């Protein structure tokens, strides 16, 4: 398929090369920043553009990989003259209906993964969730998704919103905890590397145990001596202390509710 990428951020910088390697042609890459468009375009042999007026009208698929806030505006601007193309967005929390009235054929191609420009993701292991306004849109989304992944599932916009929320807890919040851990270690000149075996084992355990079964630590049994002592260590960091307190309470409450 001939594809135009609208956006050149972290997700697009992983998905576009994967689709090219799967045999699709990336015709063009648009970004507000020309340097970003050029960087991604160079990876996929595409034309970089930084003006919406320069985006081609003839392509099979336009894949929107933009921030949620600007997606509706940019999609509306590109709708004219592209009524035969399929518009797909890649957002977790934006409904498919964002394209209502923009083009007649549209859908969603949502790869549930964390992306970075400096680290390529193996898409064959990524779960991709698709949705379509009609059968053609759904089949186009499915064709693209299955060309890079063996884990493809149809999902409604409402269910995808909750899936994205779950991903925020499992990924974004967990990574923020890594940051807080790194800040504590830094105070005593300890490298974050010392945490990597612990992090790896924690992630590995939930492949064979439920998260509840894998949970350990003082909060599970609500060891007040340890909890109070660690809260005291955070006395000069009230935001961190509040996070610690809420997380500990949540862990303990979840544990006793499931008994």
């Amino acid at each position: 398929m001939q594809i135009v990428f609208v956006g050149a951020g972290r997700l697009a910088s992983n998905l576009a090369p994967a689709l090219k390697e799967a045999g699709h042609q990336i015709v063009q890459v648009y970004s507000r920043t020309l340097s970003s468009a050029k960087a991604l375009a160079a990876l996929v042999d595409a034309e970089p553009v930084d003006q919406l007026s320069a985006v081609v009208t003839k392509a099979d698929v336009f894949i929107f990989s933009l921030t949620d806030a600007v997606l509706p505006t940019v999609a509306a601007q590109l709708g004219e003259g592209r009524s035969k193309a399929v518009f797909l967005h890649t957002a977790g929390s934006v409904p498919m209906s964002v394209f209502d009235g923009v083009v007649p054929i549209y859908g969603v191609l949502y790869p549930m993964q964390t992306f970075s420009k400096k680290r390529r993701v193996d898409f064959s292991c990524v779960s991709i969730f698709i949705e379509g306004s009609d059968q053609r849109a759904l089949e186009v989304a499915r064709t693209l998704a299955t060309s890079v992944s063996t884990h493809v599932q149809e999902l409604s916009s409402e269910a995808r919103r909750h899936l994205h929320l779950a991903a925020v807890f499992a990924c974004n919040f967990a990574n923020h905890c890594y940051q807080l851990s790194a800040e504590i270690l830094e105070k005593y000149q300890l490298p974050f590397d010392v945490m990597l075996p612990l992090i790896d084992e924690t992630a590995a355990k939930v492949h064979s145990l439920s998260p509840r079964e894998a949970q350990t630590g003082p909060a599970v049994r609500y060891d007040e001596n340890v909890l109070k002592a660690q809260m005291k260590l955070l006395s000069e960091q009230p935001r961190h202390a509040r996070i610690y307190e809420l997380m500990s309470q949540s862990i303990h409450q979840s544990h006793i509710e499931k008994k």
Side-chain angles (χ1 to χ4, degrees):
M1 291 189 188
Q2 290 189 322
I3 303 168
V4 171
F5 264 84
V6 184
R10 292 187 294 269
L11 191 157
S13 295
N14 280 268
L15 180 57
L19 288 171
K20 177 178 170 54
E21 290 170 9
H24 303 286
Q25 181 186 2
I26 313 302
V27 178
Q28 201 175 55
V29 175
Y30 161 83
S31 176
R32 290 182 304 168
T33 308
L34 186 58
S35 60
S36 295
K38 284 182 174 179
L40 178 52
L43 293 176
V44 294
D45 300 323
E47 177 193 12
V49 295
D50 63 349
Q51 299 295 322
L52 289 174
S53 59
V55 175
V56 298
T57 56
K58 292 185 178 180
D60 298 313
V61 187
F62 290 78
I63 297 180
F64 291 76
S65 184
L66 303 165
T67 61
D68 295 359
V70 303
L71 174 56
T73 302
V74 175
Q77 288 180 267
L78 290 179
E80 188 175 352
R82 299 175 178 85
S83 61
K84 294 183 179 180
V86 177
F87 277 24
L88 300 174
H89 77 66
T90 59
S93 57
V94 177
M96 179 177 64
S97 60
V98 70
F99 291 130
D100 280 353
V102 174
V103 288
I105 310 167
Y106 53 86
V108 176
L109 181 75
Y110 171 54
M112 193 185 67
Q113 184 56 279
T114 177
F115 296 101
S116 300
K117 285 189 176 183
K118 295 182 179 180
R119 180 179 171 86
R120 287 289 299 276
V121 163
D122 178 5
F123 265 88
S124 66
C125 303
V126 174
S127 293
I128 301 180
F129 298 87
I130 60 172
E131 189 177 13
S133 60
D134 61 14
Q135 194 59 35
R136 182 190 165 200
L138 189 61
E139 286 309 309
V140 167
R142 191 184 308 278
T143 297
L144 292 175
T146 55
S147 71
V148 297
S149 173
T150 57
H151 306 280
V152 178
Q153 181 178 335
E154 186 177 348
L155 197 68
S156 70
S157 290
E158 179 62 18
R160 181 166 31 83
R161 287 174 59 211
H162 288 84
L163 175 73
H164 186 245
L165 173 61
V168 167
F169 275 95
C171 175
N172 306 133
F173 288 178
N175 191 74
H176 183 61
C177 287
Y178 298 160
Q179 179 190 333
L180 299 183
S181 172
E183 291 172 3
I184 292 169
L185 294 170
E186 186 178 7
K187 185 176 179 181
Y188 291 92
Q189 293 79 52
L190 289 167
F192 186 67
D193 288 3
V194 301
M195 289 293 163
L196 296 181
L198 176 64
I199 291 169
D200 291 343
E201 176 59 17
T202 302
K205 280 200 297 186
V206 294
H207 284 263
S208 56
L209 301 173
S210 71
R212 181 180 175 275
E213 290 172 326
Q215 187 70 61
T216 61
V220 171
R221 58 188 181 275
Y222 218 74
D223 188 329
E224 291 194 58
N225 290 333
V226 175
L227 295 174
K228 287 178 180 178
Q230 293 191 336
M231 283 284 289
K232 188 175 180 180
L233 294 177
L234 295 169
S235 59
E236 296 181 2
Q237 299 166 296
R239 177 169 59 87
H240 294 183
R242 183 60 176 153
I243 292 171
Y244 181 96
E245 182 179 32
L246 285 173
M247 290 284 280
S248 296
Q249 290 173 350
S250 182
I251 290 168
H252 183 64
Q253 191 64 33
S254 176
H255 185 73
I256 61 175
E257 285 175 354
K258 296 294 182 178
K259 281 187 175 180

